[in-house]
Amino acid sequence: MRLAPGDTLRFGRTSADGPAAFLTIPHHGVSRRAGEITAAGSYWTLSNLSRTSTYVVENPEGAGEHIKIAPGRIEAPIPFEFSRLVLPAAADLLSFDIWAPRHDYADEPGDEHGGEPTAHAFPLDRTKRYFLVLAALCEPRLRGAPHAPPPTADQVVDRLRPVWPAASRTAVQWNIDYLAVKFRLKQPPESADAGPRLNGKKESLVSLALRFDLVREAELAVLEAGAAP
């Protein structure tokens, strides 16, 4: 269903008369008038007309990024170009996808005023092996498993072996430690158990990298093409 700027799409269990388009969701757990989507210029807004259910708008391209829209919230702006609206419905979770217009971006400005260039918060050389390791750590979440734990060091070695034949557990762990220092992360206790953890060094690296778009899905191609030492 295509909406022009200013158009509204209502959705719910029971269709309604009126000028707005209506998406019928025939499920007993969905409110009769569940919500409204309104198209704006380069984004859209969501009104949650449910009295009890919080709606979740997921960014499938954002490795777990989401927005919660509380019951009764009107015209919440949604910034994602591609979104999945998830509705709790009795024992089920229902969803449908929404595409907003492609976002516009300013041309990258030059240093118009002279002086020292702005320092990057997280400078990365994407030709180095530490970026290979970071990409391998982020890959599961960027490939559609937003809640997956980061790979273990041994799993990273196996993933990188085709493009880095000399990869070893020691070398991978060294690069993980180097990234932790480079990103100024707090070091976990030395006595922490090995294996996947939800609050360990690898998890912190992955969370930071995905939060600030330091690794994007398109850049996972480096795992196939390799990188310079």
Side-chain angles (χ1 to χ4, degrees), residues 149-169:
T152 65
D154 290 332
Q155 289 172 330
V156 173
V157 170
D158 292 340
R159 180 66 180 93
L160 297 182
R161 192 61 58 71
V163 295
W164 182 10
S168 66
R169 194 178 191 280

Side-chain angles (χ1 to χ4, degrees), residues 10-15 22-36 47-53 55 85-96:
R10 297 172 181 168
F11 60 91
R13 188 167 83 245
T14 304
S15 181
F22 197 91
L23 173 64
T24 301
I25 305 175
H27 191 289
H28 69 279
V30 176
S31 299
R32 291 180 175 82
R33 305 290 186 273
E36 295 181 355
S47 295
N48 181 353
L49 303 182
S50 167
R51 294 183 179 180
T52 58
S53 296
Y55 298 162
L85 176 54
V86 182
L87 309 176
D92 299 314
L93 291 177
L94 309 180
S95 67
F96 56 90

